[in-house]
Amino acid sequence: MVSTLRNVTVDCTDAPALARFWAAVLGWNVYHDDDREILVAPEFPPAREGPTMLFIPVPEPRTVKNRMHVDLQPNDRTRDEEVERLLGLGATLVEDHRTEDGTGWVWLADPQGNDFCVERGAPERAASARPRSFRLTEEK
């Protein structure tokens, strides 16, 4: 038996505002009840495979670099168009790792400073595909 990734949980000082930001990023909805935690998901109850996002209010702001972050891949636009859209929603640029050949990624932060990256979408990857080989490093 294995586990399933249920939520990407974010501790934050303003859960409603950060939930609205991520709902706009992902095109999902914001759900809440009498609890202070706020769920961002495509639908409620979440019926699809894959994680949702859960925002939990905490009193302290983030103080160090994230040890784990999400990578976004645009579905209906280029990486560069998605970066511009996210900056317009309130993200900030941390570091730009785009290269002259079109590869690379952009490191952004959400309105409360949580790191995330934007990679190229599938069509952009296919246009400049380099063969990559992944090996299984550990058997189950």
Side-chain angles (χ1 to χ4, degrees), residues 7-23 26 28-32 35-41 52-58 110-112 114:
N7 291 312
V8 173
T9 302
V10 180
D11 292 345
C12 51
T13 57
D14 186 348
L18 200 56
R20 286 190 301 272
F21 170 82
W22 280 101
L26 299 170
W28 290 359
N29 301 303
V30 177
Y31 300 97
H32 60 88
D35 194 327
R36 294 181 53 213
E37 298 175 355
I38 299 176
L39 180 73
V40 173
T52 58
M53 293 188 79
L54 186 64
F55 297 86
I56 300 176
V58 297
D110 71 18
Q112 291 195 23
N114 300 297

PDB file of all heavy atoms in Angstrom, residues 7-23 26 28-32 35-41 52-58 110-112 114:
ATOM      1  N   ASN A   7      -2.791  17.180  -0.224  1.00  0.00           N
ATOM      2  CA  ASN A   7      -2.738  18.640  -0.241  1.00  0.00           C
ATOM      3  C   ASN A   7      -1.301  19.118  -0.317  1.00  0.00           C
ATOM      4  O   ASN A   7      -0.410  18.497   0.249  1.00  0.00           O
ATOM      5  CB  ASN A   7      -3.316  19.244   1.058  1.00  0.00           C
ATOM      6  CG  ASN A   7      -4.793  19.058   1.207  1.00  0.00           C
ATOM      7  OD1 ASN A   7      -5.552  19.319   0.294  1.00  0.00           O
ATOM      8  ND2 ASN A   7      -5.197  18.608   2.375  1.00  0.00           N
ATOM      9  N   VAL A   8      -1.115  20.254  -0.955  1.00  0.00           N
ATOM     10  CA  VAL A   8       0.085  21.048  -0.764  1.00  0.00           C
ATOM     11  C   VAL A   8      -0.359  22.099   0.243  1.00  0.00           C
ATOM     12  O   VAL A   8      -1.233  22.921  -0.051  1.00  0.00           O
ATOM     13  CB  VAL A   8       0.565  21.695  -2.081  1.00  0.00           C
ATOM     14  CG1 VAL A   8       1.713  22.640  -1.816  1.00  0.00           C
ATOM     15  CG2 VAL A   8       0.942  20.624  -3.091  1.00  0.00           C
ATOM     16  N   THR A   9       0.181  22.044   1.445  1.00  0.00           N
ATOM     17  CA  THR A   9      -0.274  22.898   2.538  1.00  0.00           C
ATOM     18  C   THR A   9       0.690  24.059   2.721  1.00  0.00           C
ATOM     19  O   THR A   9       1.907  23.868   2.745  1.00  0.00           O
ATOM     20  CB  THR A   9      -0.392  22.090   3.839  1.00  0.00           C
ATOM     21  OG1 THR A   9      -1.304  21.010   3.617  1.00  0.00           O
ATOM     22  CG2 THR A   9      -0.913  22.941   4.979  1.00  0.00           C
ATOM     23  N   VAL A  10       0.130  25.274   2.845  1.00  0.00           N
ATOM     24  CA  VAL A  10       0.928  26.477   2.969  1.00  0.00           C
ATOM     25  C   VAL A  10       0.538  27.188   4.259  1.00  0.00           C
ATOM     26  O   VAL A  10      -0.628  27.569   4.439  1.00  0.00           O
ATOM     27  CB  VAL A  10       0.698  27.418   1.758  1.00  0.00           C
ATOM     28  CG1 VAL A  10       1.537  28.679   1.885  1.00  0.00           C
ATOM     29  CG2 VAL A  10       0.986  26.696   0.449  1.00  0.00           C
ATOM     30  N   ASP A  11       1.495  27.368   5.168  1.00  0.00           N
ATOM     31  CA  ASP A  11       1.285  28.218   6.335  1.00  0.00           C
ATOM     32  C   ASP A  11       1.427  29.658   5.866  1.00  0.00           C
ATOM     33  O   ASP A  11       2.355  29.983   5.119  1.00  0.00           O
ATOM     34  CB  ASP A  11       2.325  27.929   7.405  1.00  0.00           C
ATOM     35  CG  ASP A  11       2.174  26.558   8.027  1.00  0.00           C
ATOM     36  OD1 ASP A  11       1.118  25.927   7.844  1.00  0.00           O
ATOM     37  OD2 ASP A  11       3.122  26.114   8.697  1.00  0.00           O
ATOM     38  N   CYS A  12       0.511  30.531   6.307  1.00  0.00           N
ATOM     39  CA  CYS A  12       0.544  31.906   5.814  1.00  0.00           C
ATOM     40  C   CYS A  12      -0.122  32.846   6.808  1.00  0.00           C
ATOM     41  O   CYS A  12      -0.933  32.429   7.633  1.00  0.00           O
ATOM     42  CB  CYS A  12      -0.126  32.001   4.447  1.00  0.00           C
ATOM     43  SG  CYS A  12      -1.767  31.270   4.370  1.00  0.00           S
ATOM     44  N   THR A  13       0.207  34.125   6.712  1.00  0.00           N
ATOM     45  CA  THR A  13      -0.367  35.109   7.631  1.00  0.00           C
ATOM     46  C   THR A  13      -1.734  35.614   7.177  1.00  0.00           C
ATOM     47  O   THR A  13      -2.526  36.053   7.999  1.00  0.00           O
ATOM     48  CB  THR A  13       0.579  36.313   7.811  1.00  0.00           C
ATOM     49  OG1 THR A  13       0.857  36.885   6.538  1.00  0.00           O
ATOM     50  CG2 THR A  13       1.885  35.885   8.480  1.00  0.00           C
ATOM     51  N   ASP A  14      -2.026  35.567   5.890  1.00  0.00           N
ATOM     52  CA  ASP A  14      -3.329  36.004   5.366  1.00  0.00           C
ATOM     53  C   ASP A  14      -3.848  34.917   4.418  1.00  0.00           C
ATOM     54  O   ASP A  14      -3.678  34.993   3.200  1.00  0.00           O
ATOM     55  CB  ASP A  14      -3.184  37.341   4.643  1.00  0.00           C
ATOM     56  CG  ASP A  14      -4.514  37.935   4.204  1.00  0.00           C
ATOM     57  OD1 ASP A  14      -5.550  37.230   4.244  1.00  0.00           O
ATOM     58  OD2 ASP A  14      -4.519  39.119   3.800  1.00  0.00           O
ATOM     59  N   ALA A  15      -4.468  33.895   5.006  1.00  0.00           N
ATOM     60  CA  ALA A  15      -4.926  32.737   4.233  1.00  0.00           C
ATOM     61  C   ALA A  15      -5.920  33.116   3.129  1.00  0.00           C
ATOM     62  O   ALA A  15      -5.787  32.630   2.002  1.00  0.00           O
ATOM     63  CB  ALA A  15      -5.510  31.671   5.156  1.00  0.00           C
ATOM     64  N   PRO A  16      -6.924  33.966   3.389  1.00  0.00           N
ATOM     65  CA  PRO A  16      -7.861  34.293   2.308  1.00  0.00           C
ATOM     66  C   PRO A  16      -7.181  34.941   1.097  1.00  0.00           C
ATOM     67  O   PRO A  16      -7.451  34.578  -0.041  1.00  0.00           O
ATOM     68  CB  PRO A  16      -8.857  35.251   2.964  1.00  0.00           C
ATOM     69  CG  PRO A  16      -8.796  34.907   4.420  1.00  0.00           C
ATOM     70  CD  PRO A  16      -7.351  34.547   4.672  1.00  0.00           C
ATOM     71  N   ALA A  17      -6.295  35.892   1.341  1.00  0.00           N
ATOM     72  CA  ALA A  17      -5.635  36.587   0.225  1.00  0.00           C
ATOM     73  C   ALA A  17      -4.732  35.638  -0.544  1.00  0.00           C
ATOM     74  O   ALA A  17      -4.729  35.633  -1.779  1.00  0.00           O
ATOM     75  CB  ALA A  17      -4.831  37.776   0.749  1.00  0.00           C
ATOM     76  N   LEU A  18      -3.959  34.820   0.162  1.00  0.00           N
ATOM     77  CA  LEU A  18      -3.060  33.910  -0.531  1.00  0.00           C
ATOM     78  C   LEU A  18      -3.833  32.823  -1.266  1.00  0.00           C
ATOM     79  O   LEU A  18      -3.467  32.427  -2.375  1.00  0.00           O
ATOM     80  CB  LEU A  18      -2.053  33.301   0.447  1.00  0.00           C
ATOM     81  CG  LEU A  18      -0.801  32.733  -0.205  1.00  0.00           C
ATOM     82  CD1 LEU A  18      -0.076  33.776  -1.061  1.00  0.00           C
ATOM     83  CD2 LEU A  18       0.134  32.166   0.843  1.00  0.00           C
ATOM     84  N   ALA A  19      -4.932  32.367  -0.694  1.00  0.00           N
ATOM     85  CA  ALA A  19      -5.781  31.378  -1.374  1.00  0.00           C
ATOM     86  C   ALA A  19      -6.348  31.962  -2.667  1.00  0.00           C
ATOM     87  O   ALA A  19      -6.378  31.288  -3.700  1.00  0.00           O
ATOM     88  CB  ALA A  19      -6.904  30.923  -0.449  1.00  0.00           C
ATOM     89  N   ARG A  20      -6.772  33.227  -2.640  1.00  0.00           N
ATOM     90  CA  ARG A  20      -7.291  33.865  -3.861  1.00  0.00           C
ATOM     91  C   ARG A  20      -6.207  33.963  -4.927  1.00  0.00           C
ATOM     92  O   ARG A  20      -6.455  33.743  -6.109  1.00  0.00           O
ATOM     93  CB  ARG A  20      -7.877  35.234  -3.539  1.00  0.00           C
ATOM     94  CG  ARG A  20      -9.216  35.179  -2.834  1.00  0.00           C
ATOM     95  CD  ARG A  20      -9.892  36.544  -2.742  1.00  0.00           C
ATOM     96  NE  ARG A  20      -9.091  37.527  -2.039  1.00  0.00           N
ATOM     97  CZ  ARG A  20      -9.116  37.731  -0.710  1.00  0.00           C
ATOM     98  NH1 ARG A  20      -9.893  37.006   0.058  1.00  0.00           N
ATOM     99  NH2 ARG A  20      -8.365  38.660  -0.159  1.00  0.00           N
ATOM    100  N   PHE A  21      -4.970  34.302  -4.514  1.00  0.00           N
ATOM    101  CA  PHE A  21      -3.862  34.380  -5.464  1.00  0.00           C
ATOM    102  C   PHE A  21      -3.664  33.026  -6.148  1.00  0.00           C
ATOM    103  O   PHE A  21      -3.624  32.939  -7.375  1.00  0.00           O
ATOM    104  CB  PHE A  21      -2.575  34.809  -4.748  1.00  0.00           C
ATOM    105  CG  PHE A  21      -1.338  34.681  -5.610  1.00  0.00           C
ATOM    106  CD1 PHE A  21      -1.008  35.674  -6.518  1.00  0.00           C
ATOM    107  CD2 PHE A  21      -0.516  33.569  -5.517  1.00  0.00           C
ATOM    108  CE1 PHE A  21       0.130  35.559  -7.324  1.00  0.00           C
ATOM    109  CE2 PHE A  21       0.619  33.436  -6.326  1.00  0.00           C
ATOM    110  CZ  PHE A  21       0.943  34.440  -7.216  1.00  0.00           C
ATOM    111  N   TRP A  22      -3.545  31.939  -5.369  1.00  0.00           N
ATOM    112  CA  TRP A  22      -3.281  30.624  -5.943  1.00  0.00           C
ATOM    113  C   TRP A  22      -4.474  30.106  -6.733  1.00  0.00           C
ATOM    114  O   TRP A  22      -4.302  29.404  -7.732  1.00  0.00           O
ATOM    115  CB  TRP A  22      -2.829  29.644  -4.859  1.00  0.00           C
ATOM    116  CG  TRP A  22      -1.381  29.864  -4.560  1.00  0.00           C
ATOM    117  CD1 TRP A  22      -0.852  30.542  -3.497  1.00  0.00           C
ATOM    118  CD2 TRP A  22      -0.272  29.463  -5.369  1.00  0.00           C
ATOM    119  NE1 TRP A  22       0.514  30.573  -3.603  1.00  0.00           N
ATOM    120  CE2 TRP A  22       0.893  29.921  -4.734  1.00  0.00           C
ATOM    121  CE3 TRP A  22      -0.160  28.762  -6.559  1.00  0.00           C
ATOM    122  CZ2 TRP A  22       2.162  29.688  -5.254  1.00  0.00           C
ATOM    123  CZ3 TRP A  22       1.101  28.533  -7.071  1.00  0.00           C
ATOM    124  CH2 TRP A  22       2.253  28.995  -6.428  1.00  0.00           C
ATOM    125  N   ALA A  23      -5.693  30.453  -6.334  1.00  0.00           N
ATOM    126  CA  ALA A  23      -6.868  30.071  -7.125  1.00  0.00           C
ATOM    127  C   ALA A  23      -6.800  30.730  -8.499  1.00  0.00           C
ATOM    128  O   ALA A  23      -7.102  30.096  -9.516  1.00  0.00           O
ATOM    129  CB  ALA A  23      -8.148  30.455  -6.393  1.00  0.00           C
ATOM    130  N   LEU A  26      -4.063  28.943 -10.634  1.00  0.00           N
ATOM    131  CA  LEU A  26      -4.417  27.609 -11.110  1.00  0.00           C
ATOM    132  C   LEU A  26      -5.768  27.530 -11.820  1.00  0.00           C
ATOM    133  O   LEU A  26      -6.100  26.490 -12.390  1.00  0.00           O
ATOM    134  CB  LEU A  26      -4.414  26.633  -9.924  1.00  0.00           C
ATOM    135  CG  LEU A  26      -3.054  26.491  -9.230  1.00  0.00           C
ATOM    136  CD1 LEU A  26      -3.209  25.719  -7.937  1.00  0.00           C
ATOM    137  CD2 LEU A  26      -2.044  25.847 -10.156  1.00  0.00           C
ATOM    138  N   TRP A  28      -8.584  27.585 -10.215  1.00  0.00           N
ATOM    139  CA  TRP A  28      -9.386  26.775  -9.306  1.00  0.00           C
ATOM    140  C   TRP A  28     -10.309  27.674  -8.495  1.00  0.00           C
ATOM    141  O   TRP A  28     -10.398  28.866  -8.742  1.00  0.00           O
ATOM    142  CB  TRP A  28      -8.483  25.974  -8.369  1.00  0.00           C
ATOM    143  CG  TRP A  28      -7.717  24.857  -9.027  1.00  0.00           C
ATOM    144  CD1 TRP A  28      -7.763  24.476 -10.345  1.00  0.00           C
ATOM    145  CD2 TRP A  28      -6.775  23.996  -8.397  1.00  0.00           C
ATOM    146  NE1 TRP A  28      -6.913  23.418 -10.557  1.00  0.00           N
ATOM    147  CE2 TRP A  28      -6.295  23.101  -9.381  1.00  0.00           C
ATOM    148  CE3 TRP A  28      -6.299  23.874  -7.108  1.00  0.00           C
ATOM    149  CZ2 TRP A  28      -5.356  22.112  -9.091  1.00  0.00           C
ATOM    150  CZ3 TRP A  28      -5.366  22.896  -6.821  1.00  0.00           C
ATOM    151  CH2 TRP A  28      -4.909  22.021  -7.809  1.00  0.00           C
ATOM    152  N   ASN A  29     -10.994  27.100  -7.522  1.00  0.00           N
ATOM    153  CA  ASN A  29     -11.936  27.816  -6.672  1.00  0.00           C
ATOM    154  C   ASN A  29     -11.447  27.832  -5.226  1.00  0.00           C
ATOM    155  O   ASN A  29     -10.667  26.975  -4.814  1.00  0.00           O
ATOM    156  CB  ASN A  29     -13.314  27.133  -6.713  1.00  0.00           C
ATOM    157  CG  ASN A  29     -13.862  27.073  -8.112  1.00  0.00           C
ATOM    158  OD1 ASN A  29     -14.009  28.075  -8.782  1.00  0.00           O
ATOM    159  ND2 ASN A  29     -14.139  25.868  -8.580  1.00  0.00           N
ATOM    160  N   VAL A  30     -11.947  28.803  -4.462  1.00  0.00           N
ATOM    161  CA  VAL A  30     -11.626  28.927  -3.042  1.00  0.00           C
ATOM    162  C   VAL A  30     -12.810  28.418  -2.240  1.00  0.00           C
ATOM    163  O   VAL A  30     -13.946  28.843  -2.465  1.00  0.00           O
ATOM    164  CB  VAL A  30     -11.334  30.398  -2.671  1.00  0.00           C
ATOM    165  CG1 VAL A  30     -11.082  30.549  -1.176  1.00  0.00           C
ATOM    166  CG2 VAL A  30     -10.156  30.932  -3.485  1.00  0.00           C
ATOM    167  N   TYR A  31     -12.549  27.517  -1.285  1.00  0.00           N
ATOM    168  CA  TYR A  31     -13.595  26.950  -0.429  1.00  0.00           C
ATOM    169  C   TYR A  31     -13.211  27.141   1.029  1.00  0.00           C
ATOM    170  O   TYR A  31     -12.050  26.960   1.410  1.00  0.00           O
ATOM    171  CB  TYR A  31     -13.761  25.442  -0.701  1.00  0.00           C
ATOM    172  CG  TYR A  31     -14.148  25.139  -2.118  1.00  0.00           C
ATOM    173  CD1 TYR A  31     -13.188  24.773  -3.058  1.00  0.00           C
ATOM    174  CD2 TYR A  31     -15.477  25.225  -2.530  1.00  0.00           C
ATOM    175  CE1 TYR A  31     -13.545  24.496  -4.366  1.00  0.00           C
ATOM    176  CE2 TYR A  31     -15.839  24.947  -3.839  1.00  0.00           C
ATOM    177  CZ  TYR A  31     -14.866  24.585  -4.750  1.00  0.00           C
ATOM    178  OH  TYR A  31     -15.215  24.313  -6.042  1.00  0.00           O
ATOM    179  N   HIS A  32     -14.201  27.511   1.850  1.00  0.00           N
ATOM    180  CA  HIS A  32     -13.954  27.624   3.285  1.00  0.00           C
ATOM    181  C   HIS A  32     -15.246  27.333   4.022  1.00  0.00           C
ATOM    182  O   HIS A  32     -16.341  27.353   3.459  1.00  0.00           O
ATOM    183  CB  HIS A  32     -13.406  29.001   3.658  1.00  0.00           C
ATOM    184  CG  HIS A  32     -14.319  30.129   3.299  1.00  0.00           C
ATOM    185  ND1 HIS A  32     -15.298  30.595   4.130  1.00  0.00           N
ATOM    186  CD2 HIS A  32     -14.405  30.871   2.172  1.00  0.00           C
ATOM    187  CE1 HIS A  32     -15.956  31.573   3.541  1.00  0.00           C
ATOM    188  NE2 HIS A  32     -15.430  31.761   2.344  1.00  0.00           N
ATOM    189  N   ASP A  35     -14.021  26.702   9.787  1.00  0.00           N
ATOM    190  CA  ASP A  35     -12.618  26.542  10.144  1.00  0.00           C
ATOM    191  C   ASP A  35     -11.826  27.684   9.503  1.00  0.00           C
ATOM    192  O   ASP A  35     -12.217  28.238   8.482  1.00  0.00           O
ATOM    193  CB  ASP A  35     -12.131  25.188   9.597  1.00  0.00           C
ATOM    194  CG  ASP A  35     -10.822  24.752  10.181  1.00  0.00           C
ATOM    195  OD1 ASP A  35      -9.977  25.615  10.484  1.00  0.00           O
ATOM    196  OD2 ASP A  35     -10.639  23.542  10.337  1.00  0.00           O
ATOM    197  N   ARG A  36     -10.683  28.014  10.055  1.00  0.00           N
ATOM    198  CA  ARG A  36      -9.851  29.086   9.490  1.00  0.00           C
ATOM    199  C   ARG A  36      -9.029  28.617   8.294  1.00  0.00           C
ATOM    200  O   ARG A  36      -8.477  29.433   7.561  1.00  0.00           O
ATOM    201  CB  ARG A  36      -8.937  29.649  10.577  1.00  0.00           C
ATOM    202  CG  ARG A  36      -9.738  30.358  11.672  1.00  0.00           C
ATOM    203  CD  ARG A  36      -8.856  30.944  12.758  1.00  0.00           C
ATOM    204  NE  ARG A  36      -7.838  31.794  12.173  1.00  0.00           N
ATOM    205  CZ  ARG A  36      -6.625  31.943  12.674  1.00  0.00           C
ATOM    206  NH1 ARG A  36      -6.270  31.310  13.755  1.00  0.00           N
ATOM    207  NH2 ARG A  36      -5.750  32.728  12.093  1.00  0.00           N
ATOM    208  N   GLU A  37      -8.933  27.300   8.093  1.00  0.00           N
ATOM    209  CA  GLU A  37      -8.196  26.775   6.945  1.00  0.00           C
ATOM    210  C   GLU A  37      -9.009  26.997   5.674  1.00  0.00           C
ATOM    211  O   GLU A  37     -10.234  26.923   5.690  1.00  0.00           O
ATOM    212  CB  GLU A  37      -7.926  25.283   7.128  1.00  0.00           C
ATOM    213  CG  GLU A  37      -7.062  24.975   8.323  1.00  0.00           C
ATOM    214  CD  GLU A  37      -6.896  23.492   8.552  1.00  0.00           C
ATOM    215  OE1 GLU A  37      -7.518  22.673   7.839  1.00  0.00           O
ATOM    216  OE2 GLU A  37      -6.134  23.149   9.465  1.00  0.00           O
ATOM    217  N   ILE A  38      -8.316  27.264   4.570  1.00  0.00           N
ATOM    218  CA  ILE A  38      -8.988  27.529   3.297  1.00  0.00           C
ATOM    219  C   ILE A  38      -8.451  26.562   2.251  1.00  0.00           C
ATOM    220  O   ILE A  38      -7.240  26.390   2.102  1.00  0.00           O
ATOM    221  CB  ILE A  38      -8.776  28.987   2.859  1.00  0.00           C
ATOM    222  CG1 ILE A  38      -9.381  29.921   3.922  1.00  0.00           C
ATOM    223  CG2 ILE A  38      -9.395  29.241   1.495  1.00  0.00           C
ATOM    224  CD1 ILE A  38      -9.163  31.378   3.669  1.00  0.00           C
ATOM    225  N   LEU A  39      -9.351  25.939   1.522  1.00  0.00           N
ATOM    226  CA  LEU A  39      -9.011  24.968   0.493  1.00  0.00           C
ATOM    227  C   LEU A  39      -9.111  25.618  -0.878  1.00  0.00           C
ATOM    228  O   LEU A  39     -10.067  26.344  -1.168  1.00  0.00           O
ATOM    229  CB  LEU A  39      -9.976  23.775   0.566  1.00  0.00           C
ATOM    230  CG  LEU A  39      -9.758  22.672  -0.456  1.00  0.00           C
ATOM    231  CD1 LEU A  39      -8.502  21.877  -0.110  1.00  0.00           C
ATOM    232  CD2 LEU A  39     -10.969  21.766  -0.507  1.00  0.00           C
ATOM    233  N   VAL A  40      -8.140  25.347  -1.727  1.00  0.00           N
ATOM    234  CA  VAL A  40      -8.179  25.760  -3.129  1.00  0.00           C
ATOM    235  C   VAL A  40      -8.163  24.477  -3.953  1.00  0.00           C
ATOM    236  O   VAL A  40      -7.261  23.650  -3.812  1.00  0.00           O
ATOM    237  CB  VAL A  40      -6.992  26.677  -3.481  1.00  0.00           C
ATOM    238  CG1 VAL A  40      -6.947  26.956  -4.972  1.00  0.00           C
ATOM    239  CG2 VAL A  40      -7.082  27.979  -2.700  1.00  0.00           C
ATOM    240  N   ALA A  41      -9.203  24.293  -4.764  1.00  0.00           N
ATOM    241  CA  ALA A  41      -9.368  23.054  -5.528  1.00  0.00           C
ATOM    242  C   ALA A  41     -10.191  23.346  -6.774  1.00  0.00           C
ATOM    243  O   ALA A  41     -10.899  24.351  -6.847  1.00  0.00           O
ATOM    244  CB  ALA A  41     -10.070  22.003  -4.670  1.00  0.00           C
ATOM    245  N   THR A  52      -4.732  19.059  -3.851  1.00  0.00           N
ATOM    246  CA  THR A  52      -5.327  20.378  -3.757  1.00  0.00           C
ATOM    247  C   THR A  52      -4.356  21.239  -2.955  1.00  0.00           C
ATOM    248  O   THR A  52      -3.287  20.768  -2.561  1.00  0.00           O
ATOM    249  CB  THR A  52      -6.699  20.314  -3.051  1.00  0.00           C
ATOM    250  OG1 THR A  52      -6.515  19.749  -1.744  1.00  0.00           O
ATOM    251  CG2 THR A  52      -7.683  19.462  -3.844  1.00  0.00           C
ATOM    252  N   MET A  53      -4.715  22.489  -2.704  1.00  0.00           N
ATOM    253  CA  MET A  53      -3.882  23.346  -1.860  1.00  0.00           C
ATOM    254  C   MET A  53      -4.690  23.736  -0.631  1.00  0.00           C
ATOM    255  O   MET A  53      -5.876  24.048  -0.729  1.00  0.00           O
ATOM    256  CB  MET A  53      -3.421  24.589  -2.615  1.00  0.00           C
ATOM    257  CG  MET A  53      -2.462  24.277  -3.753  1.00  0.00           C
ATOM    258  SD  MET A  53      -1.728  25.752  -4.488  1.00  0.00           S
ATOM    259  CE  MET A  53      -0.454  26.133  -3.277  1.00  0.00           C
ATOM    260  N   LEU A  54      -4.030  23.728   0.525  1.00  0.00           N
ATOM    261  CA  LEU A  54      -4.662  24.074   1.785  1.00  0.00           C
ATOM    262  C   LEU A  54      -3.857  25.194   2.424  1.00  0.00           C
ATOM    263  O   LEU A  54      -2.631  25.083   2.567  1.00  0.00           O
ATOM    264  CB  LEU A  54      -4.696  22.849   2.699  1.00  0.00           C
ATOM    265  CG  LEU A  54      -5.455  22.992   4.003  1.00  0.00           C
ATOM    266  CD1 LEU A  54      -6.946  23.244   3.745  1.00  0.00           C
ATOM    267  CD2 LEU A  54      -5.265  21.742   4.857  1.00  0.00           C
ATOM    268  N   PHE A  55      -4.529  26.278   2.806  1.00  0.00           N
ATOM    269  CA  PHE A  55      -3.878  27.447   3.384  1.00  0.00           C
ATOM    270  C   PHE A  55      -4.260  27.551   4.852  1.00  0.00           C
ATOM    271  O   PHE A  55      -5.442  27.640   5.191  1.00  0.00           O
ATOM    272  CB  PHE A  55      -4.262  28.712   2.611  1.00  0.00           C
ATOM    273  CG  PHE A  55      -3.775  28.649   1.192  1.00  0.00           C
ATOM    274  CD1 PHE A  55      -4.532  28.038   0.207  1.00  0.00           C
ATOM    275  CD2 PHE A  55      -2.524  29.134   0.857  1.00  0.00           C
ATOM    276  CE1 PHE A  55      -4.068  27.933  -1.092  1.00  0.00           C
ATOM    277  CE2 PHE A  55      -2.052  29.025  -0.438  1.00  0.00           C
ATOM    278  CZ  PHE A  55      -2.830  28.426  -1.412  1.00  0.00           C
ATOM    279  N   ILE A  56      -3.251  27.515   5.706  1.00  0.00           N
ATOM    280  CA  ILE A  56      -3.461  27.520   7.148  1.00  0.00           C
ATOM    281  C   ILE A  56      -2.884  28.810   7.728  1.00  0.00           C
ATOM    282  O   ILE A  56      -1.686  29.084   7.558  1.00  0.00           O
ATOM    283  CB  ILE A  56      -2.795  26.296   7.796  1.00  0.00           C
ATOM    284  CG1 ILE A  56      -3.402  25.020   7.213  1.00  0.00           C
ATOM    285  CG2 ILE A  56      -2.923  26.345   9.309  1.00  0.00           C
ATOM    286  CD1 ILE A  56      -2.767  23.755   7.700  1.00  0.00           C
ATOM    287  N   PRO A  57      -3.718  29.608   8.422  1.00  0.00           N
ATOM    288  CA  PRO A  57      -3.197  30.847   8.995  1.00  0.00           C
ATOM    289  C   PRO A  57      -2.270  30.584  10.184  1.00  0.00           C
ATOM    290  O   PRO A  57      -2.566  29.759  11.041  1.00  0.00           O
ATOM    291  CB  PRO A  57      -4.445  31.604   9.433  1.00  0.00           C
ATOM    292  CG  PRO A  57      -5.555  30.630   9.420  1.00  0.00           C
ATOM    293  CD  PRO A  57      -5.152  29.449   8.614  1.00  0.00           C
ATOM    294  N   VAL A  58      -1.139  31.267  10.180  1.00  0.00           N
ATOM    295  CA  VAL A  58      -0.183  31.233  11.282  1.00  0.00           C
ATOM    296  C   VAL A  58       0.228  32.676  11.578  1.00  0.00           C
ATOM    297  O   VAL A  58       0.145  33.531  10.688  1.00  0.00           O
ATOM    298  CB  VAL A  58       1.058  30.367  10.946  1.00  0.00           C
ATOM    299  CG1 VAL A  58       0.668  28.912  10.717  1.00  0.00           C
ATOM    300  CG2 VAL A  58       1.806  30.918   9.756  1.00  0.00           C
ATOM    301  N   ASP A 110       5.202  34.099  -4.293  1.00  0.00           N
ATOM    302  CA  ASP A 110       3.810  34.542  -4.186  1.00  0.00           C
ATOM    303  C   ASP A 110       3.750  35.775  -3.283  1.00  0.00           C
ATOM    304  O   ASP A 110       4.784  36.224  -2.767  1.00  0.00           O
ATOM    305  CB  ASP A 110       2.905  33.391  -3.726  1.00  0.00           C
ATOM    306  CG  ASP A 110       3.082  32.972  -2.285  1.00  0.00           C
ATOM    307  OD1 ASP A 110       3.655  33.732  -1.468  1.00  0.00           O
ATOM    308  OD2 ASP A 110       2.633  31.862  -1.942  1.00  0.00           O
ATOM    309  N   PRO A 111       2.577  36.390  -3.094  1.00  0.00           N
ATOM    310  CA  PRO A 111       2.500  37.629  -2.320  1.00  0.00           C
ATOM    311  C   PRO A 111       2.997  37.532  -0.875  1.00  0.00           C
ATOM    312  O   PRO A 111       3.270  38.552  -0.260  1.00  0.00           O
ATOM    313  CB  PRO A 111       1.014  37.984  -2.364  1.00  0.00           C
ATOM    314  CG  PRO A 111       0.560  37.428  -3.678  1.00  0.00           C
ATOM    315  CD  PRO A 111       1.311  36.124  -3.788  1.00  0.00           C
ATOM    316  N   GLN A 112       3.145  36.321  -0.327  1.00  0.00           N
ATOM    317  CA  GLN A 112       3.692  36.199   1.026  1.00  0.00           C
ATOM    318  C   GLN A 112       5.113  35.638   1.025  1.00  0.00           C
ATOM    319  O   GLN A 112       5.642  35.221   2.041  1.00  0.00           O
ATOM    320  CB  GLN A 112       2.768  35.354   1.900  1.00  0.00           C
ATOM    321  CG  GLN A 112       1.478  36.104   2.179  1.00  0.00           C
ATOM    322  CD  GLN A 112       0.675  35.516   3.307  1.00  0.00           C
ATOM    323  OE1 GLN A 112       1.180  34.820   4.175  1.00  0.00           O
ATOM    324  NE2 GLN A 112      -0.602  35.803   3.294  1.00  0.00           N
ATOM    325  N   ASN A 114       6.433  32.954  -0.634  1.00  0.00           N
ATOM    326  CA  ASN A 114       6.660  31.530  -0.865  1.00  0.00           C
ATOM    327  C   ASN A 114       7.158  31.305  -2.285  1.00  0.00           C
ATOM    328  O   ASN A 114       6.569  31.782  -3.244  1.00  0.00           O
ATOM    329  CB  ASN A 114       5.372  30.731  -0.632  1.00  0.00           C
ATOM    330  CG  ASN A 114       4.868  30.902   0.785  1.00  0.00           C
ATOM    331  OD1 ASN A 114       5.532  30.526   1.732  1.00  0.00           O
ATOM    332  ND2 ASN A 114       3.692  31.506   0.919  1.00  0.00           N
TER     333      ASN A 114
END
